[in-house]
Amino acid sequence: MTSKKKPTDEELLASLGYKQEFKREFTPLEVFGVAFSIIGLVPSIASVLFYAIAFGGGPAMVWGWAVASVFILTVGISLAELGSAAPTSGGLYFWTYSLSSPKWKGLLCWVVGYAYAVGSISAFSSIDWGCAVQIMAAATIGSGGTFQPTSAQTYAVFTMVIFAHIGICSLGTAILARLQRVYVVLNLLLCLAIIIALPVATPAEFRNTVDFALKDLKNLSEWPDGYAFILSLNTPLWTICSFASSVNISEEASNAATAVPWGMTLAVAIAGIVGLAVNISLAFCMGTDLEALNNSNQPMAQIFFQSFGERGTLIIWAVIVITQFMMGSSMLLAASRQIFAFSRDSGLPFSSWLYRLNKFTKTPVNAVVFDGVVALFMGCLVFAGDQAINAIFALSIVGNYVAYSIPIAARFLGQNDFKPGPFNLGKFSFPVTTIAVIFMVFMSIVFFFPMSPTTDAQGMNYTVVVLGGTMLLSIIYFYFPKYGGVNWFAGPVPNINSISEHSSTRHSEEDRKDDATAVDVIDAC
């Protein structure tokens, strides 16, 4: 009895209905690198540390991270199972269409495509905004505190960072793949430096007791302590959020059915453990004046200044800025692939323009530019107030969670014959998936609320406005008479036109014609 031959990456992609268009340059390490560099522990924590400090202090930083990491891992594992079964750049909306019931698959696929587009681009925008803020924090430290940047100045730096990333992510696949190795090493070295050096360098006056760091919740907000602790989870949830970006490069990865799910899972697990150590180090070395930290332009920079002084802080901060910049390039890389894939199936306006590969680099340069321009518009929220710009952090979480939860739930609620790939949990899949979906739904609702129960236009949480508005417009666009997506959108449409185009295609010509309107491709795996 002969064993069944394992399909090649190109054959597996063909069985999903797509021809190979990208070069497969990403090794398993580099697939992991995409997810791990986007997580970017230290710079990410620096960007959103104000949530944990304001809503609980040390206990929120440490225990909030520990609790959230466990739940986030259930989300990562649930997505990894789907990514192993059908590794394609269209990932989330592709799985949604394949797994949902016939009555709802078109609409749900459409909604997931738009939610993930918003989530991915807002994640890129928030990362680059964080990078701009960190650059300005370095300028403030270097000036001895005399320079205080305006919103317009920070936005100008943000614009320059965006344009730099557009240039980098327009390069060839091989260059982008090799860069991930550098990103992984730099991220890990930075984490180790903070974990080891910060406790050693911190003066006694800023070292905290066990009770202050781990037990005594310091709630600086007007919310009750319990709800404030839940809001503090924004820090770990934003930090470990866009790990599904590994899925977006599935068509550029070697051994994708294994590399993509393991890359995601390991990135989430390692980030949870190492990130906990970083937060413990910060909680014990940040001093007791949480009000001052919360009111500073950059709480982590202030913590470092207290421990390392001006010169030491500037050296470490320079590495953090570089690492944050690397995060942005990895995020734009992944986000552009999602836009490219959704446009391949005509899901977006101007799809014919977005679904193009540059003839020199063989990368989706048009999609890269599109993401960058939209991110710039999102950054304009800064002119509505500090709380308004902070909405892009929550927006990236909620947008992604909407896109994550629907295909995960559809696997068990839809009418399908899901066949798992090499990575699967077997009988544990259902309980893990259930926990993941409940967690995402609950946290998505939480992040629609403002940072204070008494708020005004400037303090409002604009997440509900931007995401809700985008989702409403997308649904109106879907059902619009005559021209709406309901009249022409067929979900994932195969772009392999003949058997000779790929010898391993598992469908006959007749099957393919049917698949153009109903592609239950996961069933064919």
Side-chain angles (χ1 to χ4, degrees), residues 70-100:
V70 174
F71 285 106
I72 297 169
L73 184 59
T74 66
V75 178
I77 293 173
S78 299
L79 288 173
E81 288 192 283
L82 300 179
S84 182
T88 172
S89 296
L92 297 167
Y93 79 85
F94 183 95
W95 305 332
T96 300
Y97 191 88
S98 301
L99 297 170
S100 300

Side-chain angles (χ1 to χ4, degrees), residues 36-301:
F36 192 71
S37 64
I38 288 174
I39 291 171
L41 284 168
V42 173
S44 289
I45 294 171
S47 295
V48 286
L49 186 59
F50 60 90
Y51 283 106
I53 289 177
F55 294 121
M61 293 164 62
V62 176
W63 302 120
W65 185 280
V67 170
S69 295
V70 174
F71 285 106
I72 297 169
L73 184 59
T74 66
V75 178
I77 293 173
S78 299
L79 288 173
E81 288 192 283
L82 300 179
S84 182
T88 172
S89 296
L92 297 167
Y93 79 85
F94 183 95
W95 305 332
T96 300
Y97 191 88
S98 301
L99 297 170
S100 300
S101 300
K103 181 180 179 180
W104 300 107
K105 61 171 55 182
L107 175 61
L108 290 176
C109 173
W110 181 275
V111 167
V112 167
Y114 276 89
Y116 194 39
V118 171
S120 296
I121 297 175
S122 61
F124 167 59
S125 183
S126 60
I127 288 170
D128 276 19
W129 180 257
C131 186
V133 170
Q134 289 167 5
I135 291 172
M136 288 308 201
T140 300
I141 295 171
S143 69
T146 59
F147 173 72
Q148 296 297 325
T150 64
S151 295
Q153 289 170 331
T154 306
Y155 186 83
V157 174
F158 169 70
T159 301
M160 290 187 283
V161 174
I162 291 278
F163 277 112
H165 281 145
I166 290 175
I168 291 172
C169 291
S170 297
L171 299 174
T173 304
I175 298 173
L176 296 172
R178 300 298 92 80
L179 284 173
Q180 303 310 313
R181 300 185 182 187
V182 179
Y183 297 174
V184 169
V185 172
L186 192 58
N187 266 290
L188 288 174
L189 289 177
L190 183 58
C191 290
L192 289 174
I194 302 307
I195 294 168
I196 297 171
L198 185 60
V200 172
T202 301
E205 62 186 292
F206 293 114
R207 293 179 184 174
N208 294 325
T209 64
V210 172
D211 285 347
F212 187 89
L214 303 179
K215 297 181 181 180
D216 298 334
L217 195 73
K218 304 294 183 181
N219 180 13
L220 305 182
S221 75
E222 298 175 26
W223 290 107
D225 289 352
Y227 191 72
F229 180 82
I230 294 173
L231 287 174
S232 76
L233 300 185
N234 201 321
T235 298
L237 264 62
W238 184 81
T239 301
I240 315 176
C241 180
S242 297
F243 49 83
S245 298
S246 292
V247 174
N248 300 138
I249 60 165
S250 293
E251 295 174 31
E252 298 168 82
S254 58
N255 196 18
T258 300
V260 168
W262 276 110
M264 274 196 293
T265 303
L266 289 174
V268 173
I270 293 173
I273 296 169
V274 178
L276 179 61
V278 170
N279 275 282
I280 291 173
S281 180
L282 290 170
F284 276 95
C285 302
M286 64 183 178
T288 57
D289 192 352
L290 299 186
E291 288 275 5
L293 289 176
N294 190 51
N295 292 330
S296 66
N297 291 331
Q298 230 305 334
M300 186 179 284

